Amino acid sequence: RKNTMGGYMKYPDCIASLLLIIGGINWGLVGFFDFNLVTFLSTNPVFVKTVYGLVALSALWQAYGWYRCKCKSCHHHRDVDLK
């Protein structure tokens, strides 16, 4: 799958993106409707902690991706002359 920068997303990037979308939707449901989709699907604490942990790891992976990206749109602040 092509990303917005014209390159191709690798499987870890796709999985991380999917988990971040799921996590964002879940937090939106919690915030707006007091409904937690994760605990609705299973009350098993191992399942719940696993899902939350995977979403957190996905966020770290995405942050690392921004750090390792060398494209201009990710690092436009480096080109700004502050003088």
Side-chain angles (χ1 to χ4, degrees):
R1 176 177 172 215
K2 269 196 164 188
N3 66 17
T4 56
M5 302 304 164
Y8 287 92
M9 293 179 73
K10 295 183 171 77
Y11 286 112
D13 298 323
C14 291
I15 292 169
S17 295
L18 179 65
L19 285 169
L20 287 173
I21 290 168
I22 291 169
I25 290 170
N26 187 57
W27 279 113
L29 289 170
V30 170
F32 291 121
F33 304 109
D34 198 26
F35 176 77
N36 189 329
L37 181 62
V38 176
T39 56
F40 175 76
L41 294 174
S42 175
T43 57
N44 181 339
V46 174
F47 173 79
V48 172
K49 286 184 179 192
T50 300
V51 170
Y52 291 156
L54 289 173
V55 170
L57 289 174
S58 296
L60 292 172
W61 179 258
Q62 183 66 45
Y64 174 70
W66 288 335
Y67 172 77
R68 75 176 192 257
C69 181
K70 303 297 182 206
C71 65
K72 283 186 178 182
S73 63
C74 290
H75 296 289
H76 63 86
H77 63 280
R78 292 182 181 174
D79 297 332
V80 175
D81 188 11
L82 298 177
K83 292 181 183 179

